Amino acid sequence: MASLGNCIFMMDEGVDRLTEALPELPADKAKLSRLMLMVGSRMQEELEHTLKPYRLNHSEFLTLMILYSSPDGSSTPGELCDYTSQGATNMTRIGNALVGRGLVVRAASEQDRRRVRMGITPSGRRFVQKMLPTLFPRLSAMFDGFGENDRRQLGRLLRKLADNLDRLDEEIDR
Amino acid sequence: MASLGNCIFMMDEGVDRLTEALPELPADKAKLSRLMLMVGSRMQEELEHTLKPYRLNHSEFLTLMILYSSPDGSSTPGELCDYTSQGATNMTRIGNALVGRGLVVRAASEQDRRRVRMGITPSGRRFVQKMLPTLFPRLSAMFDGFGENDRRQLGRLLRKLADNLDRLDEEIDR
DNA sequence: CCTTTTTAATTCACCAGTGAAATATGAGCC
DNA sequence: GGCTCATATTTCACTGGTGAATTAAAAAGG
């Protein structure tokens, strides 16, 4: 029963039962929203599962990848918070974890002494080069059977959803 | 910068830079996977934000809704774990929270004394009837501009993704 | 200049969720 | 009937994350 397929089936049934008593419920939107939440969190579990052998969690991995792919291999906690959508508090913890493993170094900024620069180390680069390719097989399997067109559609729809969510955020809440 | 649109833009750039150095990276799949994670977690934040005034979090809300929409208004912790994809430990906490607010009652099962029945109370039903409709406006806004066809496509693609994730789970891990 | 305001990072106290162990009951099997 | 194994729930210790307060430094504005 832990299968996503079963959960989705149960969800469909539940929303249908709900709509009988509550016709003004926007049933198909409710189902899409539940679907997004279910599939999204399952993908996150999948990612964390494959990261576990490397003793990284999602946010630590993301932070490390951003440093790896940034032009000069460094950034500041504040910037990383923006890029990763993490709070400053958690970025401090992430920094501690990555620095503790020698994948990243912290250094006080000279221009602005409030700032801290976090830079990926050579050891951190080697670590990424080694572990990243091992994620590819599962990543590919995730989109098995998605043709060129399916991928384009999914990308389009998710970006559209993102636009709507941004608009919701701007509005004075409720 | 906290906007999803900006985060997605940065992500696209990052993956593109990555692909230059690492041509074997499945770039479009990586982007889709990041997109799903970003949009999914933002939708979760959006939901939790609108639930906050009712002092419910996502998993408590989901549990309460399942009880509300179940034919006899009751279930057991074990079943609820399956339906909500929550661990048993957390379901105990959820039960404590909902029982503590009088929305749900716990009772020992007579047939199987290991089991516990959790049932929604009349007060719990009234609570749901009052709060649920207030979620509809934001839910609808989330899918503004999604026509009949977009909704069908998104549903299809998410269910397909779910199938692949289930297949990944079954396989002997890596 | 020097005070006020803003910004950056960290610390602290807390909330939500997990895995492993404990507890208790039921089921299967000589 | 009594022993072993399986199942349901709870407890406990821990991880990952958040908001509010703290510290420190820069910027703004007389």
Side-chain angles (χ1 to χ4, degrees):
Chain A
M1 165 62 78
S3 100
L4 211 37
N6 277 326
C7 288
I8 290 173
F9 178 80
M10 300 286 307
M11 180 276 289
D12 278 328
E13 302 274 299
V15 173
D16 288 342
R17 274 196 304 277
L18 221 48
T19 335
E20 274 174 44
L22 235 132
E24 69 272 33
L25 181 143
D28 53 347
K29 294 183 177 181
K31 286 183 183 177
L32 283 179
S33 141
R34 298 285 342 143
L35 265 176
M36 276 298 301
L37 293 171
M38 294 165 103
V39 179
S41 67
R42 190 59 136 259
M43 282 189 66
Q44 172 134 353
E45 281 167 33
E46 157 64 25
L47 175 59
E48 303 238 316
H49 174 80
T50 66
L51 288 177
K52 188 160 266 176
Y54 303 101
R55 297 186 299 133
L56 288 177
N57 66 25
H58 182 183
S59 64
E60 291 158 1
F61 169 68
L62 189 51
T63 303
L64 190 62
M65 285 310 301
I66 288 171
L67 290 177
Y68 182 86
S69 68
S70 96
D72 73 341
S74 85
S75 186
T76 66
E79 284 173 0
L80 291 168
C81 285
D82 284 344
Y83 304 158
T84 60
S85 310
Q86 294 294 313
T89 305
N90 199 31
M91 193 50 67
T92 298
R93 184 197 61 76
I94 293 168
N96 291 341
L98 297 179
V99 169
R101 291 178 61 182
L103 305 173
V104 161
V105 284
R106 265 196 271 238
S109 162
E110 288 129 27
Q111 307 94 298
D112 183 342
R113 299 201 304 174
R114 288 169 304 181
R115 281 193 157 82
V116 170
R117 289 221 67 89
M118 294 176 47
I120 189 167
T121 60
S123 155
R125 288 197 182 276
R126 283 195 300 275
F127 178 80
V128 170
Q129 278 152 15
K130 235 180 157 177
M131 68 90 78
L132 194 60
T134 69
L135 307 185
F136 298 168
R138 294 201 142 221
L139 177 59
S140 291
M142 216 176 278
F143 294 99
D144 264 2
F146 280 67
E148 175 77 23
N149 195 50
D150 278 352
R151 295 204 295 268
R152 195 168 44 242
Q153 285 293 312
L154 183 56
R156 179 181 69 82
L157 293 166
L158 290 176
R159 285 165 203 269
K160 192 166 178 175
L161 200 42
D163 285 347
N164 286 351
L165 286 165
D166 278 342
R167 208 165 307 120
L168 262 178
D169 272 358
E170 288 164 15
E171 281 167 26
I172 26 337
D173 301 19
R174 76 179 46 265
Chain B
M1 164 59 77
S3 100
L4 210 38
N6 276 327
C7 288
I8 290 174
F9 178 80
M10 300 287 305
M11 179 276 289
D12 278 327
E13 301 276 300
V15 173
D16 287 342
R17 276 196 302 277
L18 220 49
T19 332
E20 274 174 45
L22 236 130
E24 70 273 33
L25 180 143
D28 53 347
K29 295 183 177 182
K31 286 183 184 177
L32 283 179
S33 140
R34 297 285 343 143
L35 265 176
M36 277 297 301
L37 292 172
M38 294 165 104
V39 179
S41 68
R42 190 59 136 260
M43 282 189 66
Q44 173 134 355
E45 281 166 34
E46 156 64 26
L47 175 59
E48 303 237 319
H49 174 80
T50 66
L51 288 177
K52 188 161 264 176
Y54 303 101
R55 296 186 300 134
L56 287 177
N57 66 23
H58 182 183
S59 63
E60 291 158 0
F61 169 69
L62 189 51
T63 303
L64 189 61
M65 286 310 300
I66 288 170
L67 290 177
Y68 183 86
S69 69
S70 96
D72 74 340
S74 86
S75 186
T76 66
E79 285 173 0
L80 291 167
C81 285
D82 284 345
Y83 305 159
T84 60
S85 308
Q86 295 293 314
T89 305
N90 199 33
M91 193 50 67
T92 297
R93 184 198 60 77
I94 292 168
N96 291 340
L98 297 179
V99 168
R101 291 177 61 182
L103 305 173
V104 162
V105 283
R106 267 198 269 239
S109 163
E110 288 128 28
Q111 306 94 301
D112 183 342
R113 297 201 306 175
R114 288 170 303 183
R115 281 191 157 83
V116 170
R117 287 221 69 87
M118 294 176 47
I120 189 167
T121 62
S123 155
R125 287 197 183 275
R126 283 195 300 276
F127 178 81
V128 170
Q129 279 152 15
K130 236 180 157 175
M131 69 90 77
L132 194 59
T134 68
L135 307 184
F136 298 168
R138 294 202 142 220
L139 177 58
S140 291
M142 217 176 274
F143 294 99
D144 264 1
F146 280 67
E148 175 76 22
N149 196 50
D150 278 352
R151 295 203 294 269
R152 196 169 43 242
Q153 285 292 312
L154 183 55
R156 178 182 69 82
L157 293 165
L158 290 175
R159 286 165 202 268
K160 192 166 176 172
L161 200 41
D163 284 346
N164 285 351
L165 286 165
D166 277 342
R167 207 165 307 120
L168 263 178
D169 272 358
E170 286 163 16
E171 281 166 27
I172 25 338
D173 302 18
R174 75 181 48 266

